[in-house]
């Protein structure tokens, strides 16, 4: 436990931290923007933009690959470094084929999110989903409209798209001057001047040279043509008159998203964006808890008592160790190695003796960490996703939201003699929260159904059952791609003919359906019931 003399240190460290996730639809530029953040933070001297990125993506998560190639410090879950005096904790939210429930859960560990949108495509499906989790958790969002160096949609149209698709007010803090090949810079709406960029290195491998000047000087110097000037001035005037105002409070409340335009590849607009991000994004603040008495309360980050929760468990991270790692998001106090904490769910004391981050593929020990930080501890076996740990005890953080599954399958052991080991494995994985295990409603002894957000979770499940319980399994995919939690008496509920009702380990009932519109149809047929996308 921290003594009171340390409170000042904890307060100062907390204020320095920006813990956030970058969310995007695949290919919008999340990896490129992350890489540029490292470039401007001085973590890497040149941004690789290495050939064959697509081939690498096929094999593993981008960051693990970056770690291997560049030898920089990246935990499997979060990367920490300094950006102009601010401690950045950027969370890995895998997309693509790695998209899974972990991606959603990781967002709960973020204090803010950066949403990257491709200027040619606008808001896309995966962004919408991730965005809805941020909204549900009250996580403020900054928007970076990327790929302005390519022909794309009109900036005003993109703003309208963000507002409509995500039901949030968008307020542009900078505005592009030109687009495609003619994208020369951005107007800083707050400062009232313009920032012009020049390409450096191949594919933006080096920082872009930039100059800040008044629009008049930019035109006079010939760097901004009168045509571009006219267009930008017209749009800026429109924004001033009809655009949404920006206030940091409205942003922190999740009512407005500040919008920035740029090009991650050529570095145009990247540094001004991260500079504003550092000043706008919130540092860790109080988190809601439920006291053992049932009362609602909060835990302040600056506290003598340490507290954290488990947001991710990764098994078999290191083939040499054959163990699993629990990732903690620290919410209050100071973490120190060998700290003894109360594990709320098991009501036992646990020593956090083996705490790690990953460094260049090797584990390094973490000796001290502060609110907002992510620490990996070797899972003592009792940790499950969503668990609260603290030195004081007596409360729990909000449970992890349960997400609607998009893939469902029936699972059984190939060898019936392995039934016992199979049941044990399923029970353990269910307790860990690695996957949603369901049974047909009213049939508690039926074969388990496994439900997940992404197919990768099934591969992990089968792999773990095989390596940890020596059970080979047969997985038969079911046609359900949508799920919604049922509120109301399930016996009185009439599901659509192709839908099915199933039950989780805690007796919660979910409707699984093949087509999305069936949810609406079911509601019309069952007006006394409710269907929820997320439950806490
Ligand atoms: P992701 O992590 O969101 O999936 O996207 P990623 O950064 O991998 O970017 C997807 C593709 O878009 C990459 O091209 C990347 O180079 C390109 N890209 C990212 N930002 C910009 C930008 O601002 N302008 C332009 N013109 N392109 C951008 P790729 O062909 O898939 O990969 P590579 O082989 O070129 O590296």
């Amino acid at each position: 436990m921290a003594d009171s003399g340390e409170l000042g240190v904890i307060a100062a460290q907390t204020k320095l931290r920006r813990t956030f996730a970058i969310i995007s639809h695949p290919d919008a530029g999340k990896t490129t923007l992350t890489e540029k953040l490292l470039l401007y933070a001085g973590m890497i001297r040149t941004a690789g933009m290495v050939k064959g990125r697509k081939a690498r993506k096929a094999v593993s998560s981008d960051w693990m690959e970056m770690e291997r190639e560049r030898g920089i410090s990246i935990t499997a879950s979060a990367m920490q470094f300094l950006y102009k005096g601010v401690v950045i904790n950027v969370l890995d939210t895998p997309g693509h084929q790695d998209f899974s429930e972990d991606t959603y859960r990781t967002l709960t560990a973020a204090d803010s999110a950066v949403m990257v949108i491709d200027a040619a495509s606008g808001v896309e499906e995966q962004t919408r989903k991730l965005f809805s989790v941020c909204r549900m958790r009250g996580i403020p969002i900054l928007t970076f409209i990327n790929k302005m160096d390519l022909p794309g949609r009109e900036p005003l149209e993109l703003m309208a798209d963000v507002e409509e698709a995500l039901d949030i007010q968008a307020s542009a803090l900078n505005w592009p001057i030109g687009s495609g090949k003619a994208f020369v810079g951005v107007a800083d709406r707050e400062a009232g001047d313009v920032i012009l960029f020049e390409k450096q290195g191949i594919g933006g491998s080096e920082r872009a040279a930039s100059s800040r000047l008044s629009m008049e000087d930019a035109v006079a110097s010939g760097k901004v043509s009168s045509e571009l000037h006219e267009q930008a001035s017209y749009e800026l005037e429109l924004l001033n008159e009809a655009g949404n105002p920006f206030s940091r409070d409205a942003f922190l409340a999740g009512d407005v998203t500040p919008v920035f335009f740029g090009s991650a590849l050529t570095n145009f607009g990247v540094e001004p964006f991260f500079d504003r991000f550092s000043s706008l994004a919130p540092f860790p603040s109080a988190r809601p808890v439920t006291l053992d008495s049932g009362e609602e309360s909060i835990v302040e980050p600056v506290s003598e008592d340490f507290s954290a929760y488990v947001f991710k468990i990764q098994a078999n991270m290191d083939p040499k160790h054959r163990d699993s790692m629990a990732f903690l998001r620290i919410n209050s106090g100071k973490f120190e190695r060998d700290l003894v904490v109360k594990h709320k769910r098991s009501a036992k004391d646990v020593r956090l003796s083996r705490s790690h981050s990953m460094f260049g593929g090797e584990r390094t020990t973490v000796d001290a960490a502060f609110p907002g930080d992510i620490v990996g501890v070797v899972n003592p076996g009792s940790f499950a996703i969503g668990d609260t740990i603290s030195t004081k005890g007596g409360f729990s953080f909000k449970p992890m939201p349960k997400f609607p599954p998009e893939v469902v399958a029936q699972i059984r052991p190939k060898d019936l003699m392995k039934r016992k080991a199979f049941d044990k494995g399923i029970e353990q994985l269910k307790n860990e929260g690695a996957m949603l295990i369901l049974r047909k409603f009213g049939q508690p002894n039926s074969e388990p159904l496994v439900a997940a957000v992404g197919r990768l979770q099934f591969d992990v499940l089968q792999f773990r059952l095989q390596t940890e319980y020596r059970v080979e399994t047969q997985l038969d995919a079911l046609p359900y791609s949508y799920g919604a939690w049922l509120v109301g008496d399930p016996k009185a509920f009439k599901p659509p003919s192709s839908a099915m009702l199933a039950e989780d380990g805690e007796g919660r009932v979910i409707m699984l359906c093949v087509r999305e519109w069936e949810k609406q149809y079911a509601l019309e047929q069952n007006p006394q019931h409710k269907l929820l996308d997320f439950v806490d």
Side-chain angles (χ1 to χ4, degrees), residues 217-293:
D217 287 349
V219 178
S221 69
K223 286 180 178 154
V224 172
S225 68
S226 50
E227 203 185 346
L228 285 184
H229 171 225
E230 213 171 284
Q231 188 189 348
S233 305
Y234 169 71
E235 289 170 345
L236 284 166
E237 223 166 276
L238 258 185
L239 284 179
N240 289 344
E241 294 203 354
N244 296 307
F246 179 77
S247 81
R248 184 158 185 258
D249 286 345
F251 155 68
L252 293 179
D255 295 333
V256 59
T257 177
V259 178
F260 300 81
F261 291 84
S263 156
L265 187 71
T266 59
N267 302 335
F268 284 24
V270 169
E271 194 180 21
F273 170 67
F274 284 122
D275 288 352
R276 279 307 269 135
F277 167 82
S278 306
S279 59
L280 283 178
F283 53 82
S285 58
R287 290 240 168 180
V289 291
T290 307
L291 302 179
D292 287 358
S293 63

Side-chain angles (χ1 to χ4, degrees), residues 24-32 50 53-54 57 62 96 146-147 149-150 263-265:
S24 74
H25 191 80
D27 280 342
K30 182 174 70 125
T31 314
T32 312
V50 213
R53 183 210 294 268
K54 275 184 193 135
K57 266 183 189 163
D62 298 339
H96 302 266
N146 191 31
K147 303 198 187 182
D149 59 306
L150 293 177
S263 156
L265 187 71

Side-chain angles (χ1 to χ4, degrees), residues 136-158:
M136 180 179 68
R137 284 273 163 154
I139 299 168
I141 296 167
L142 298 99
T143 303
F144 185 82
I145 298 190
N146 191 31
K147 303 198 187 182
M148 287 304 294
D149 59 306
L150 293 177
R153 290 162 62 180
E154 289 297 322
L156 284 169
E157 197 187 310
L158 286 161

